[in-house]
Amino acid sequence: MLVQIPRVLTAEQIQFVRTRLDAADAPWVDGRATAGHQGARVKHNQQIAESSPLAAELGDLILAALERHPLFISAVLPLRVYPPLFNRYDGGMQFGSHVDGSVRLLPGSGHKIRTDVSATLFLAAAESYDGGELLIEDTYGAHAVKLGAGDMVVYPASSLHRVAPVTRGTRVASFFWVQSMVRDDAQRTLLYDLDRSIQALNQQHAAHPALVELTGVYHNLLRMWADI
Ligand code: NI
């Protein structure tokens, strides 16, 4: 399931994050630093050094915003979130077709995270650069995703995906992974659809007794499928 999550960050937050990332002393390094063997061959971009204080500071700002975002919680059912990373593409840079690594070590903890969901949070206005679409393949074909600054897309980490070459301007984004309470994408999709239906009914028929039963079904499915 591919879900767009609008307005994760406000315009003021975007401006703050971009000022820090665009500063002359921001620690940009070759993006292959965090790529696996296969990914390194097709990855051509830059990243903020993973262990830098800047990545931690800006990553915390994003995590705090996500904690309060009902659509993110409903679509992803997060158990653990990898600290957000930051990348940029310009001058024809691209990231060829790849699948994200399935298990990653959480920095500084010794714990591992299973990457069920991949997330990209766009940090540049879509009209400020050409190319740079995130192309995600599923059984219906390839989906091109290019969102406004502050908007995010989440998709199954098992998907083959790539970033098209950036031919004008600079694409800046944050990206990270989530281990979901529900590892199976089809089960997560059912829970998301059910939750959306319940929310819609709540808006129009909040007193209907069947809502209590539907909410019970939601929680009992989550109880059955949660892997925590
Ligand atoms: Ni990727």
Side-chain angles (χ1 to χ4, degrees), residues 14-214:
I14 292 288
Q15 193 175 23
F16 174 78
V17 169
R18 283 301 303 269
T19 302
R20 302 297 304 275
L21 291 176
D22 297 345
D25 60 350
W28 289 101
V29 299
D30 189 313
R32 283 173 288 193
T34 57
H37 182 70
Q38 188 264 338
R41 289 169 40 211
V42 293
K43 188 173 185 182
H44 305 284
N45 67 4
Q46 293 184 305
Q47 284 176 199
I48 290 291
E50 188 171 13
S51 56
S52 66
L54 182 61
E57 180 196 350
L58 301 183
D60 284 349
L61 185 151
I62 292 169
L63 293 178
L66 289 174
E67 272 173 20
R68 297 189 297 267
H69 207 298
L71 182 53
F72 173 74
I73 305 289
S74 175
V76 175
L77 297 168
L79 178 64
R80 296 191 187 95
V81 184
Y82 195 90
L85 300 169
F86 298 86
N87 62 15
R88 74 178 177 193
Y89 297 74
D90 57 19
M93 287 179 182
Q94 61 177 303
F95 194 166
S97 195
H98 66 282
V99 169
D100 294 341
S102 51
V103 177
R104 302 191 82 95
L105 197 59
L106 276 169
S109 73
H111 294 290
K112 290 178 177 136
I113 180 171
R114 187 186 65 232
T115 60
D116 297 318
V117 177
S118 294
T120 295
L121 170 60
F122 291 78
L123 295 173
E127 61 275 15
S128 69
Y129 61 99
D130 288 337
E133 294 85 1
L134 174 61
L135 296 147
I136 303 164
E137 290 186 24
D138 66 15
T139 49
Y140 299 107
H143 304 271
V145 182
K146 183 172 178 176
L147 305 178
D151 298 343
M152 189 167 90
V153 62
V154 292
Y155 57 100
S158 53
S159 315
L160 208 56
H161 58 274
R162 64 192 172 92
V163 175
V166 173
T167 55
R168 176 187 65 90
T170 306
R171 178 196 197 267
V172 183
S174 175
F175 65 103
F176 54 94
W177 301 274
V178 184
Q179 180 170 341
S180 175
M181 290 189 283
V182 177
R183 72 189 295 172
D184 183 77
D185 180 59
Q187 292 174 338
R188 267 200 318 277
T189 302
L190 280 174
L191 287 169
Y192 176 63
D193 290 345
L194 180 56
D195 188 40
R196 275 164 46 108
S197 301
I198 291 170
Q199 299 306 328
L201 281 173
N202 247 323
Q203 297 292 322
Q204 295 189 6
H205 308 283
H208 200 294
L211 259 177
V212 178
E213 294 169 15
L214 278 176

